[in-house]
Amino acid sequence: MTDRSGLLTRPIVPVSDADDAVETYNALRPEIDPECCQPLVVSVVAATDGDDTTQRAATDRATDAVDRFVSLAAADGIDIDTDVLTGDDIAASIIEAASDNDASAIAFHSRGGSDWLDIVAGGVRTALIVKSDIPIVVLPADDQ
């Protein structure tokens, strides 16, 4: 475990689906002290004006993601808070939740993709880094 001097005492940890929850948990676990870390795990569901079936499926996927993270953490004795957020802008929803919950940092596991395209197109990673007024922690990938 690395000493982060309080950086990871109350991280907000976004996850997109159950597989991402497992990867994110495995990346976060070695970096935190269960005695003093109280993560808030969130998943963001895009707000839609139409299809209830699509909205329900997205909400179910988000709920499954946070539940998967909670089950992994519970096995290690780590208390987790969770929230399924709804919003048009994923990064803005995460940043708002971080502010509302006095998060110490936003900690996420990069989901891959093209860094170049992300920079040009302005993906969620870039938006979090550029728009957040609290520290951003990019958790190491399994192959690092």
Side-chain angles (χ1 to χ4, degrees):
M1 178 177 46
T2 306
D3 179 14
R4 301 284 188 224
S5 301
L7 190 61
L8 294 176
T9 57
R10 180 64 170 163
I12 186 165
V13 182
V15 293
S16 61
D17 58 35
D19 290 338
D20 181 49
V22 171
E23 291 176 17
T24 301
Y25 180 78
N26 289 337
L28 179 65
R29 179 61 188 99
E31 305 298 329
I32 62 171
D33 179 352
E35 296 294 320
C36 64
C37 181
Q38 182 75 35
L40 170 60
V41 177
V42 300
S43 191
V44 182
V45 177
T48 63
D49 293 328
D51 188 358
D52 286 342
T53 303
T54 302
Q55 187 73 24
R56 193 170 25 258
T59 301
D60 289 347
R61 185 175 58 249
T63 302
D64 288 346
V66 296
D67 289 348
R68 182 65 177 131
F69 196 103
V70 168
S71 70
L72 293 167
D76 285 338
I78 301 170
D79 291 325
I80 303 291
D81 294 325
T82 66
D83 200 359
V84 174
L85 310 170
T86 302
D88 292 324
D89 182 327
I90 294 172
S93 297
I94 294 167
I95 291 167
E96 182 178 346
S99 176
D100 291 349
N101 290 278
D102 297 322
S104 58
I106 299 172
F108 66 92
H109 180 259
S110 182
R111 292 170 186 89
S114 168
D115 293 334
W116 176 248
L117 180 60
D118 190 35
I119 291 167
V120 173
V124 174
R125 289 180 291 192
T126 301
L128 287 173
I129 292 167
V130 171
K131 295 178 181 178
S132 178
D133 61 353
I134 66 169
I136 302 295
V137 176
V138 180
L139 300 166
D142 290 337
D143 58 354
Q144 292 181 352

